[in-house]
Amino acid sequence: VVAVLWISAAVIFVAFEAIAAAAVPSYSYVAKYISVLGVPEWSPRASLMNWGFFLQGALFLAGAVVAVRAIRGLWTGLVFLLLVTTNAVGNLLVGIVHGSSPLWNDGYDWLHGMGAFLAIGGGNAAIVVGSVVVGRAVSVRWYVPIGVLIGVAGLVLAVMLQTYGKWAVDYSYIGLVERGCVYTIMIWQIFTGLVLLALVARPRPDIAAPRAEGAD
């Protein structure tokens, strides 16, 4: 269940984004923010992109709840749930409060920025902790370090996004940097989902029935 929820969250988000972007010929994955595709006044398929944000947050949270209930580890589990909830709230804000939209020029635009911060920061911090939580149920040694590395990379890119104006010459690559720290969440969800599916699909050794005493 966890694997299906997380893989679905990632695939739906990327697919909805691609469909929304296809309706805007001038849109650039490299130079434009993802959330621009959710602005109704600019994007013909804005509602689809906003549903992508909503479903990403909801399915990520649903999978986290199931995972924490199934895997032991009270404190790390609670921290994981808190961070995933932060991500879900952030995605909700991003999908409701549209940046660069005339509807939000009355002083509430900061909520969009706050939502992006919560979704990206909370999401990447969640996958660092989540790697440890899920790692308790995964027997492969390389899962935890790879999962943590994905989350740390996302957090580093998130810092780069927040400080973009201080190190970048122009904003031509702002979309690329943003996608770097957003897609790490999707990559982890698919990666973890596939590992969990492989674990479930792994054949269990048959237990031989005891032989009767004196049998040949």
Side-chain angles (χ1 to χ4, degrees):
V1 176
V2 176
V4 172
L5 288 170
W6 285 347
I7 292 175
S8 297
V11 171
I12 288 172
F13 184 90
V14 175
F16 281 15
E17 179 190 8
I19 296 171
V24 185
S26 62
Y27 185 77
S28 169
Y29 270 66
V30 174
K32 299 289 186 181
Y33 287 109
I34 300 172
S35 59
V36 172
L37 293 171
V39 179
E41 298 82 5
W42 189 81
S43 173
R45 296 172 183 165
S47 60
L48 190 67
M49 185 68 255
N50 291 324
W51 271 107
F53 289 121
F54 300 151
L55 290 173
Q56 164 60 215
L59 293 175
F60 192 12
L61 180 57
V65 171
V66 176
V68 169
R69 291 183 64 181
I71 302 171
R72 296 180 180 179
L74 177 62
W75 292 110
T76 50
L78 289 176
V79 172
F80 179 48
L81 279 180
L82 177 62
L83 291 171
V84 177
T85 301
T86 300
N87 169 267
V89 171
N91 275 299
L92 184 65
L93 283 174
V94 170
I96 294 176
V97 184
H98 310 122
S100 304
S101 172
L103 295 176
W104 297 101
N105 283 341
D106 55 357
Y108 292 97
D109 188 62
W110 64 272
L111 284 171
H112 180 84
M114 177 62 71
F117 176 79
L118 294 176
I120 295 173
N124 281 289
I127 65 180
V128 171
V129 179
S131 296
V132 177
V133 173
V134 177
R136 294 192 176 96
V138 177
S139 58
V140 288
R141 297 180 179 178
W142 44 263
Y143 169 77
V144 174
I146 292 178
V148 170
L149 183 62
I150 293 172
V152 171
L155 290 172
V156 171
L157 288 167
V159 172
M160 292 178 64
L161 180 65
Q162 291 295 317
T163 60
Y164 189 88
K166 296 182 179 181
W167 58 268
V169 177
D170 55 44
Y171 280 78
S172 299
Y173 299 98
I174 189 71
L176 190 63
V177 176
E178 184 196 35
R179 279 178 170 79
C181 53
V182 170
Y183 285 179
T184 49
I185 300 171
M186 318 302 163
I187 291 170
W188 183 85
Q189 289 174 328
I190 293 175
F191 166 64
T192 300
L194 292 176
V195 170
L196 290 174
L197 287 177
L199 184 65
V200 172
R202 183 183 302 171
R204 296 180 179 180
D206 294 331
I207 300 177
R211 299 179 64 185
E213 187 175 344
D216 294 333

